[in-house]
């Protein structure tokens, strides 16, 4: 579906190029290199519980079986990423079709400009969501006993209502990277999933957690990867919340 939308977009953009004037803001915006189709490195592995219950006890076997059975639709965060990536291309195509559509005589020029501007801001925000780029900041707090403890802050960019990219995300993450399994469980809980931590399967293997919503039960393992990958999933989650706040309902 996305590939069809991309092809239609590229064909329509070529038609626009034949008639557009120099320094056209909408055309220039659409000319910007689009977001790639590869998401951030996901530090989580997810599989339906009925699949992992069939695994043996060997840790090496567990790793191999997770890789063998993995599908994107099993991962709740990749599902969200794919949903926004498809919507990102739908929005780009909708913008160019809106721009080429006959002008409604009932609309004032300022209303047309505002509509196009709102669409471009939404696309730019979704592009930031699809490619989270966290900025790490640290601050040392000296306690009463004289010891210093360093806290981490997660910072990131967002697009303001005037279309400017600004550092608008600032979130204290403390020592989260030292207790990552708990924090990932909290993220999923806040997304509406029931979280059963440190789940032991029938074969005796311990999983970091099992999440549940309705009839869906999924085992979750937290991989040991670069710390920046964990920051990206925290920022991705934060940007999802910001996007949902700016565009409540289906978007």
């Amino acid at each position: 579906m996305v590939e069809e939308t991309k092809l239609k977009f590229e064909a329509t953009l070529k038609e626009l190029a034949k008639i557009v004037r120099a320094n056209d803001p909408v055309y220039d915006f659409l000319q910007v290199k689009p977001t790639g189709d590869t998401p951030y490195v996901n530090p989580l592995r997810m599989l339906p519980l009925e699949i992992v219950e069939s695994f043996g006890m060997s840790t090496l076997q567990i790793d191999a079986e997770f890789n063998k059975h993995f599908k994107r639709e099993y991962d709740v965060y990749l599902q969200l990423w794919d949903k926004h990536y498809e919507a990102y291309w739908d929005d780009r195509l909708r913008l160019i079709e809106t721009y080429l559509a006959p002008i409604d005589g009932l609309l004032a020029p300022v209303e047309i400009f505002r509509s196009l501007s709102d669409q471009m801001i939404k696309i730019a925000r979704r592009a930031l969501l699809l490619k989270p780029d966290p900025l790490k900041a640290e601050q040392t707090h000296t306690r009463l006993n004289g010891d210093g403890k360093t806290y981490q802050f997660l910072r990131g960019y967002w697009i303001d209502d005037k279309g400017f990219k600004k550092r608008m995300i600032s979130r204290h993450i403390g020592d989260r990277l030292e207790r990552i399994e708990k924090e990932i469980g909290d993220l999923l809980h806040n997304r509406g999933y029931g979280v059963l931590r440190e789940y032991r399967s029938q074969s005796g293997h311990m999983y970091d957690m099992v999440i549940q919503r309705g009839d869906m039960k999924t085992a979750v393992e937290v991989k040991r990867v670069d710390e920046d990958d964990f920051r990206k999933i925290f920022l991705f989650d934060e940007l999802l919340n910001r996007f949902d706040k700016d565009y409540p309902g289906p978007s």
Side-chain angles (χ1 to χ4, degrees):
M1 183 66 180
V2 175
E3 293 305 317
E4 293 179 8
T5 305
K6 286 183 182 180
L7 291 173
K8 189 173 182 181
F9 171 85
E10 294 296 340
T12 311
L13 187 63
K14 289 180 181 179
E15 293 301 313
L16 177 60
K18 297 176 182 178
I19 60 174
V20 74
R21 66 183 186 277
N23 300 318
D24 183 282
V26 175
Y27 180 73
D28 290 346
F29 176 83
L30 292 169
Q31 282 283 85
V32 174
K33 184 178 179 180
T35 296
D37 58 2
T38 302
Y40 60 91
V41 175
N42 191 351
L44 309 180
R45 297 188 302 179
M46 302 185 188
L47 282 181
L49 186 59
E50 64 265 22
I51 293 179
V52 302
E53 288 288 11
S54 67
F55 294 171
M57 272 296 292
S58 167
T59 301
L60 292 177
Q61 179 185 358
I62 293 294
D63 291 340
E65 290 295 330
F66 258 92
N67 294 332
K68 174 182 176 182
H69 293 282
F70 171 76
K71 294 181 181 179
R72 289 180 72 94
E73 59 262 33
Y74 295 154
D75 188 307
V76 297
Y77 274 109
L78 287 180
Q79 286 181 38
L80 288 167
W81 194 94
D82 288 344
K83 167 193 166 186
H84 279 279
Y85 184 68
E86 182 174 345
Y88 168 77
W89 278 100
D90 288 341
D91 289 346
R92 284 170 63 82
L93 179 60
R94 188 177 301 112
L95 172 62
I96 198 171
E97 289 178 339
T98 301
Y99 192 52
L100 287 171
I103 295 176
D104 188 337
L106 299 178
L107 293 176
V110 67
E111 293 177 301
I112 298 172
F113 174 80
R114 185 180 301 116
S115 174
L116 294 171
S117 178
D118 288 344
Q119 289 184 60
M120 288 190 286
I121 289 173
K122 185 176 184 181
I123 292 169
R125 285 172 172 169
R126 214 188 288 267
L128 285 180
L129 185 157
L130 291 168
K131 193 175 180 181
D133 185 18
L135 304 171
K136 187 184 80 168
E138 294 183 346
Q139 178 177 325
T140 301
H141 172 69
T142 302
R143 291 177 281 193
L144 294 177
N145 63 4
D147 293 339
K149 181 171 179 59
T150 299
Y151 295 91
Q152 294 190 34
F153 291 84
L154 182 70
R155 292 176 177 170
Y157 292 101
W158 196 236
I159 306 296
D160 68 13
D161 291 339
K162 294 182 179 180
F164 295 106
K165 183 178 179 180
K166 293 185 177 180
R167 196 181 71 188
M168 300 172 64
I169 308 294
S170 183
R171 177 171 169 177
H172 175 222
I173 60 176
D175 61 351
R176 286 184 172 202
L177 299 181
E178 299 173 14
R179 48 193 175 97
I180 191 66
E181 290 84 359
K182 177 185 181 305
E183 297 302 334
I184 292 296
D186 289 348
L187 287 183
L188 291 164
H189 173 76
N190 292 336
R191 295 231 147 257
Y193 294 92
V195 180
L196 181 61
R197 303 172 192 268
E198 296 184 346
Y199 176 83
R200 187 177 295 277
S201 69
Q202 295 176 5
S203 62
H205 186 78
M206 185 72 75
Y207 296 95
D208 290 326
M209 68 196 78
V210 166
I211 60 174
Q212 180 176 1
R213 179 187 284 170
D215 295 332
M216 181 275 282
K217 293 182 180 179
T218 299
V220 181
E221 283 279 85
V222 180
K223 297 184 290 186
R224 293 294 174 263
V225 293
D226 188 274
E227 286 187 356
D228 193 50
D229 293 326
F230 287 116
R231 294 188 187 94
K232 286 180 180 179
I233 197 169
F234 282 125
L235 182 57
F236 178 64
D237 188 87
E238 189 73 17
L239 294 177
L240 283 170
N241 293 335
R242 180 64 66 100
F243 191 92
D244 291 342
K245 180 181 178 181
D246 289 342
Y247 304 100
S251 57

